[in-house]
Amino acid sequence: MKIVTIIGARPQFIKAIALSSRIAVTPGIEEFLVHTGQHYDANMSEVFFRDLGLRQPGARLDLGGGSHGQMTGRQLEAVENVILTERPDICLVYGDTNSTLAGALAASKLHVPVAHVEAGLRSFNRRMPEEINRVLTDHVSDWLFAPTQVAVDNLAAEGIASEKVHLTGDVMYDVARLILDDPSRSTNIACRLDLPEMGYAVTTLHRQENTDDPARLLAILEGLADVAETMPVVLPIHPRTRKITASHPEAMAALGRLTVIEPVGFFDMATLLSGARLALTDSGGLQKEAFFFRVPCVTLRDETEWVELVELGWNRLPEAITRDAIGAAVADALAAPPGLDASPYGSGEASRIILDALTA
């Protein structure tokens, strides 16, 4: 069996390590890794191949940048050429990026079965490019690997045949266990940044809905700056966020009150998060990673795909994306008791369950 795996963005590099490492030691399966280049900055790409031991891609397409349509179109054409050359039995895609959709469309049009890891997530906000990507990918996929029961229910509500859907748990939990089960993998980044133990916040900010709206971006940065009055707020800054804030003096002033660092690798980020008092993020992945380390989280968005974390009390959504509402959500998160102890994302065996389904 030959699998072509399409990855292109930071979260996908992290997710891929669990399944790719298992494929590598399974007789009779060959994986050809395709890096679309959606994230091409070394701190957003190469560091994950190095830190996580992910083997180098068989093809690098270098197709990041441009509008969503431009990026997806160029990637679709290039992935199609790879599939025609490699002639795989399965095309495997992760998550909800433009690379995900490009890979799924290219494969389905060439009648190559598609496997979607992290299927069934829904924000029910069609203004989000990620929502369009995940819905379309699910509806052309042959294997839909859902991380939670909520995701399974979403797919059933859309009429997707139940025999295609597999409840697997979350591959991100598989990877998080690299540190949970082996604390020696932690780094000294908190010491390097001189952060007080359990007395700082970690934040990420990159989604287009936040960065491309000047008023919304300023509200978030000022809300983060308010948090920084009581504890350091560490922001590994996304290249797009850095570029956009550079042209907004008020945003730059708020940013200057944060502990801004370059993007970091998986183990540095996991170490920062595991020692934090609070996470604030617009990233889907970081919401879950915070939960794995039992760190309360405020999601800087209007909705979240990971509704079970809100229900369990580990995650909060501000009533609106305003400075005051963010402050209120932070105060609530810091004052509240720990959320409920539960395991909505499986037992850390998602990669095994996925591979068993693909080889059945």
Side-chain angles (χ1 to χ4, degrees):
M1 176 189 292
K2 185 172 188 178
I3 298 174
V4 161
T5 297
I6 312 298
I7 55 176
R10 174 193 182 276
Q12 294 167 329
F13 306 144
I14 298 171
K15 293 166 190 170
I17 186 59
L19 188 52
S20 290
S21 60
R22 189 174 288 273
I23 291 172
V25 297
T26 302
I29 304 180
E30 174 189 356
E31 183 180 38
F32 187 87
L33 206 60
V34 179
H35 183 353
T36 66
Q38 183 166 334
H39 280 174
Y40 48 85
D41 184 276
N43 287 336
M44 299 291 289
S45 176
E46 289 306 316
V47 66
F48 293 98
F49 288 88
R50 183 186 70 237
D51 285 3
L52 293 169
L54 191 62
R55 63 184 177 78
Q56 291 298 312
R60 289 178 178 269
L61 306 182
D62 297 325
L63 295 174
S67 69
H68 284 281
Q70 290 171 332
M71 187 188 299
T72 307
R74 293 198 307 268
Q75 291 177 359
L76 197 160
E77 180 180 13
V79 171
E80 181 181 67
N81 289 333
V82 171
I83 291 173
L84 287 170
T85 300
E86 297 300 323
R87 303 180 67 84
D89 299 291
I90 296 170
C91 179
L92 179 70
V93 296
Y94 290 88
D96 56 16
T97 69
N98 292 333
S99 301
T100 308
L101 180 59
L105 288 177
S108 64
K109 287 176 178 290
L110 293 172
H111 309 295
V112 173
V114 177
H116 185 200
V117 177
E118 210 172 70
L121 301 187
R122 296 293 182 267
S123 68
F124 303 102
N125 178 2
R126 292 293 179 94
R127 292 179 60 84
M128 290 177 59
E130 296 87 354
E131 183 80 350
I132 302 300
N133 291 344
R134 62 175 72 107
V135 170
L136 294 178
T137 298
D138 281 341
H139 282 265
V140 299
S141 292
D142 300 272
W143 290 271
L144 295 99
F145 297 119
T148 66
Q149 184 59 48
V150 171
V152 171
D153 295 342
N154 288 338
L155 295 170
E158 293 177 13
I160 292 177
S162 60
E163 60 267 22
K164 293 183 177 183
V165 179
H166 304 263
L167 177 60
T168 62
D170 198 313
V171 290
M172 287 291 289
Y173 187 39
D174 292 27
V175 182
R177 289 190 62 170
L178 292 175
I179 279 189
L180 290 167
D181 295 345
D182 185 5
S184 68
R185 290 180 179 264
S186 298
T187 74
N188 67 347
I189 188 169
C191 293
R192 298 200 309 266
L193 296 175
D194 195 26
L195 297 172
E197 186 175 355
M198 300 299 292
Y200 63 89
V202 175
T203 187
T204 64
L205 177 63
H206 76 281
R207 283 194 184 269
Q208 188 174 10
E209 66 194 81
N210 287 332
T211 60
D212 291 5
D213 182 332
R216 193 175 173 101
L217 177 62
L218 181 60
I220 292 172
L221 288 173
E222 289 184 336
L224 295 173
D226 290 342
V227 178
E229 293 295 316
T230 58
M231 70 178 89
V233 176
V234 182
L235 171 61
I237 193 164
H238 191 285
R240 181 172 64 244
T241 308
R242 182 183 290 281
K243 180 179 179 180
I244 291 172
T245 52
S247 61
H248 296 280
E250 288 181 298
M252 282 297 293
L255 193 67
R257 294 160 63 188
L258 310 181
T259 303
V260 178
I261 62 175
E262 292 299 314
V264 295
F266 174 76
F267 290 115
D268 272 342
M269 191 64 183
T271 300
L272 278 175
L273 192 56
S274 65
R277 186 178 177 195
L278 179 69
L280 303 104
T281 185
D282 61 2
S283 161
L286 202 74
Q287 297 173 49
K288 290 181 297 175
E289 292 171 60
F291 170 72
F292 298 150
F293 295 112
R294 298 303 192 261
V295 174
C297 180
V298 173
T299 293
L300 302 169
R301 288 170 49 195
D302 298 311
E303 67 284 303
T304 177
E305 301 80 18
W306 304 105
V307 293
E308 55 278 350
L309 296 183
V310 176
E311 294 168 354
L312 291 171
W314 287 102
N315 194 3
R316 284 162 179 78
L317 291 165
E319 290 187 0
I321 301 301
T322 66
R323 181 177 187 172
D324 290 344
I326 291 170
V330 168
D332 186 37
L334 293 175
L340 298 177
D341 193 20
S343 301
Y345 302 119
S347 59
E349 291 289 322
S351 58
R352 178 189 59 77
I353 295 169
I354 290 169
L355 194 55
D356 284 350
L358 291 177
T359 56

